[in-house]
Amino acid sequence: FAKSTTRLVPRRRFMVKMFQVKRPVTHPLVTVTSAECLAKVEREGGVLVGAHGAALAHKQGKSKLRRDRWHLSFDEEDALPVIGGYRRVPYVDAHVEGFDFDLACFGDNWGGGNVLLCFCDLPKQTSDA
């Protein structure tokens, strides 16, 4: 996971918004595409951090991850690793026994068992000194 759109560096702080992936009420069999997930991150002013974000969410916020959900941490398609001929989206699987890290296909469609992680920069603190 050497390649990522946004590098995580010391002292850069994020607020993580979590969005339950929801199917449209008018079309309950329709799922959400990877492109729609990327567009949601962009609309929210988020940055794409891929696997590094999934690891950070687990390390610093695992108590807030919803059980029985995959927590997706997207990156630009070209920055995702290719495994088995497919670009892969990293996720943290929070379940009763603990947590697992895994990869799903970028081209998959996402349903209600998924949560989109959206990393947003915290505003910089100013000093009056």
Side-chain angles (χ1 to χ4, degrees):
F1 299 102
K3 185 178 179 184
S4 66
T5 300
T6 305
R7 285 186 48 103
L8 300 183
V9 295
R11 293 187 284 285
R12 185 171 184 182
R13 299 185 51 169
F14 295 100
M15 169 180 53
V16 181
K17 299 177 184 179
M18 294 190 290
F19 298 98
Q20 177 78 33
V21 175
K22 294 184 180 177
R23 295 178 176 138
V25 175
T26 55
H27 296 46
L29 299 179
V30 174
T31 54
V32 176
T33 67
S34 294
E36 290 170 317
C37 289
L38 287 171
K40 176 67 173 172
V41 171
E42 184 177 335
R43 282 192 307 274
E44 293 294 325
V47 295
L48 299 170
V49 292
H52 304 280
L56 186 63
H58 173 261
K59 182 177 180 182
Q60 295 186 2
K62 65 182 166 190
S63 65
K64 293 184 172 46
L65 299 179
R66 294 193 51 202
R67 297 288 185 219
D68 298 323
R69 298 285 185 261
W70 288 8
H71 299 80
L72 309 166
S73 184
F74 274 88
D75 206 335
E76 291 289 345
E77 185 174 4
D78 291 343
L80 295 170
V82 177
I83 300 170
Y86 297 96
R87 295 277 178 186
R88 301 294 179 150
V89 176
Y91 66 88
V92 179
D93 181 4
H95 48 83
V96 175
E97 295 83 22
F99 300 90
D100 292 316
F101 292 90
D102 210 342
L103 301 167
C105 291
F106 180 82
D108 284 353
N109 290 322
W110 311 99
N114 301 285
V115 174
L116 178 62
L117 299 174
C118 182
F119 291 78
C120 300
D121 281 306
L122 284 175
K124 295 199 187 271
Q125 302 264 340
T126 57
S127 168
D128 292 340

